[in-house]
Amino acid sequence: MSTSSTAATRMERDSMGELAVPADALWGAQTQRAVENFPISGQPMPRAFIKALIQIKLAAARANGRLGLIAAEEASAVGAACEELLAGDFMPHFPIDVFQTGSGTSSNMNANEVIATLASRRLGRAVSANDVVNFGQSSNDTIPSAIHVAAACAIKNELLLAIAHFIGVTEAKAAEVHPVVKTGRTHLMDAMPVRLSQVLKGWNVQIATCDQNLRFALGMLEILAQGGTAVGTGINTDARFAPAVCEELTHITGITFRSGANRFALMGAQDTAVATSGQLRTLAVALTKIANDLRWMNSGPLAGLGEIELPALQPGSSIMPGKVNPVIPEAVAMVAAQVVGNDACIAMAGASGNFELNVMLPVIARNLLESIALLTPALRLLADKAIAGFTVNTARIEEALSRNPILVTALNPVIGYAKAAEIAKRAYKEKRPIIDVAEEMSGLPRAELERLLDPAALTEGGIVAGGGGGG
């Protein structure tokens, strides 16, 4: 909606005086002041956050009406206005930049004014944005609550489902490739053999651990600051209000929200958001590891490892014909980098609690919700367009495995580390299969060496116990 001098306007008034507002805007003077004060990024608050904010206003209207704290007809009109917004495209009515007042007061008043306008139209008389829509609330408890509600809904309804999908796809692929035994690597150097299924199952444990941690974070997000009002004491609100709001929110969202027993920490700090972001960062780090494993195994096809071939999705070069790149793992790695950056911002913002209020709430909301929104499709894409469809270069894997001198590690308990090292060095130097060199140097019969150096058996801990060390 235009705010230029040539656009049709109407005059609105707030406690600071009159201000011209676009004639067709649902918002009022306080929103307009924020639009004009913060022309910074051009990014409005995230849709998920605005939706949660409207849901809180709906829950508050229902609670206030049920408790008799505002007139029944006003409660009904405000509730209907919220439902109207939630049923349509509400984002054009919420233009305020993310980088605004640190309490999010501008966004709270934006919601109050838009809802008041719609409620006034329904009721046929003025409904106050402050005294009715915002009754029993403050930006200082409502904005932290909206962050929790939005993040909880996004994690439960979107991210956890994407994680489950990733785990399912990867588990199925692990079963498919279980017969494949490949050279393991530590320090990017040849090491003892592993099954390809073991690699994939290792990825799944990483992601499943993230799932467990996010579920714990979800439980913390269900605790809301609502009811603390201005500074955490609950001034100007009924003691029954916060529990009633949480009850209504539970009905609206399907998530069991509850009001915090002590709202001072929930308003003066944002520790739950910081912790949740930390779990998202851990998920991002895990995805980076998985994406890079896929890129390394796919590298080549001639001069790299070439153990697998990822699905060919698009040409990889504007100048080199026939080149195909691992575009999905690369995209996921970039998502992960952004999530780590978002987490650094949230950590800094979380440290900006001054006495009874954190003053970087909008940017916490933006970054937290962006991280969830980025990770959700990234998980699905990595599963569906990389892991599910890669093919195994069996010949390349078997050729490298047969010449891997590190297999001699299995002979340590029989011939000792020093002798095994001599065999490995000779096999490296002569580029011969380890079993042939071991037959010449160890004195062990070929059949015994075949038993001891069987790569598949070695993936289950080997045949001969003993030995140790790192590397």
Side-chain angles (χ1 to χ4, degrees):
M1 295 182 181
S2 175
T3 60
S4 68
S5 59
T6 58
T9 62
R10 70 179 192 272
M11 299 305 295
E12 289 283 346
R13 175 178 289 276
D14 62 9
S15 62
M16 296 185 72
E18 288 191 334
L19 188 69
V21 174
D24 57 350
L26 295 182
W27 63 76
Q30 291 199 49
T31 301
Q32 188 62 32
R33 291 189 194 280
V35 169
E36 296 177 7
N37 285 338
F38 308 114
I40 298 176
S41 70
Q43 301 177 51
M45 293 295 291
R47 186 183 187 281
F49 172 83
I50 298 299
K51 180 179 179 180
L53 185 56
I54 298 170
Q55 288 174 326
I56 289 173
K57 298 298 177 181
L58 174 58
R62 291 177 176 175
N64 279 325
R66 175 154 58 94
L67 297 172
L69 301 175
I70 62 175
E73 62 273 17
E74 291 179 330
S76 178
V78 170
C82 294
E83 291 169 344
E84 178 183 344
L85 287 169
L86 292 170
D89 180 16
F90 49 78
M91 284 305 292
H93 308 300
F94 294 85
I96 299 174
D97 203 278
V98 166
F99 300 96
Q100 54 171 286
T101 173
S103 62
T105 297
S106 297
S107 286
N108 185 44
M109 284 309 304
N110 186 180
N112 290 335
E113 290 180 340
V114 168
I115 293 166
T117 297
L118 294 175
S120 298
R121 291 177 182 177
R122 288 178 174 273
L123 203 55
R125 59 178 173 83
V127 173
S128 172
N130 290 89
D131 297 333
V132 176
V133 182
N134 198 59
F135 189 86
Q137 306 149 65
S138 165
S139 303
N140 298 348
D141 64 349
T142 299
I143 298 301
S145 294
I147 293 172
H148 279 215
V149 171
C153 289
I155 289 172
K156 181 179 179 180
N157 299 329
E158 299 170 25
L159 183 57
L160 292 181
L161 297 180
I163 288 174
H165 178 76
F166 179 94
I167 290 173
V169 169
T170 306
E171 190 67 31
K173 191 68 175 182
E176 175 189 324
V177 301
H178 180 70
V180 178
V181 178
K182 64 183 287 291
T183 299
R185 291 180 182 85
T186 60
H187 305 272
L188 292 180
M189 304 298 287
D190 297 345
M192 291 299 287
V194 296
R195 289 188 182 273
L196 189 51
S197 61
Q198 291 171 323
V199 174
L200 271 65
K201 288 180 178 180
W203 298 346
N204 263 358
V205 170
Q206 285 185 272
I207 303 303
T209 301
C210 292
D211 179 89
Q212 293 172 3
N213 292 337
L214 283 166
R215 289 180 186 277
F216 178 81
L218 179 60
M220 299 302 294
L221 288 167
E222 292 169 357
I223 303 172
L224 304 184
Q226 206 70 51
T229 64
V231 293
T233 60
I235 187 72
N236 287 359
T237 191
D238 191 290
R240 300 169 295 168
F241 174 73
V245 169
C246 290
E247 183 181 333
E248 295 290 348
L249 268 176
T250 297
H251 177 73
I252 292 166
T253 64
I255 297 176
T256 305
F257 291 105
R258 57 197 184 279
S259 181
N262 184 308
R263 288 109 178 193
F264 293 99
L266 294 166
M267 293 167 59
Q270 280 294 293
D271 294 344
T272 296
V274 171
T276 302
S277 179
Q279 299 306 333
L280 298 173
R281 180 195 62 211
T282 303
L283 177 56
V285 168
L287 287 176
T288 302
K289 195 271 185 189
I290 295 166
N292 283 334
D293 281 355
L294 287 165
R295 292 172 61 230
W296 275 107
M297 288 191 292
N298 178 76
S299 62
L302 300 179
L305 298 181
E307 293 178 339
I308 65 170
E309 183 176 338
L310 292 169
L313 299 177
Q314 63 187 61
S317 174
S318 61
I319 192 172
M320 294 178 280
K323 193 171 189 294
V324 178
N325 297 330
V327 294
I328 296 300
E330 288 174 352
V332 170
M334 285 190 283
V335 164
Q338 182 63 60
V339 170
V340 172
N342 285 349
D343 177 66
C345 176
I346 290 171
M348 184 175 179
S352 297
N354 306 127
F355 298 108
E356 279 64 63
L357 183 67
N358 182 285
V359 291
M360 289 197 184
L361 297 175
V363 79
I364 290 174
R366 179 220 175 270
N367 283 19
L368 187 64
L369 295 172
E370 181 183 72
S371 291
I372 298 169
L374 289 173
L375 288 167
T376 297
L379 281 156
R380 292 184 179 275
L381 286 172
L382 193 63
D384 295 341
K385 292 194 172 185
I387 294 172
F390 76 69
T391 56
V392 179
N393 188 343
T394 304
R396 184 73 168 264
I397 286 175
E398 291 179 351
E399 191 271 338
L401 188 61
S402 70
R403 294 171 49 217
N404 181 6
I406 303 301
L407 293 176
V408 78
T409 301
L411 302 182
N412 284 359
V414 180
I415 64 175
Y417 182 95
K419 188 66 175 180
E422 290 180 24
I423 294 171
K425 289 176 183 178
R426 181 176 169 186
Y428 271 126
K429 182 177 180 180
E430 298 179 1
K431 296 182 174 55
R432 295 170 59 198
I434 190 68
I435 192 169
D436 293 343
V437 179
E439 185 178 14
E440 295 173 5
M441 296 181 63
S442 70
L444 296 173
R446 181 86 180 191
E448 179 68 0
L449 288 170
E450 288 175 350
R451 184 182 74 87
L452 293 173
L453 298 177
D454 175 24
L458 294 175
T459 65
E460 305 303 329
I463 297 172
V464 178

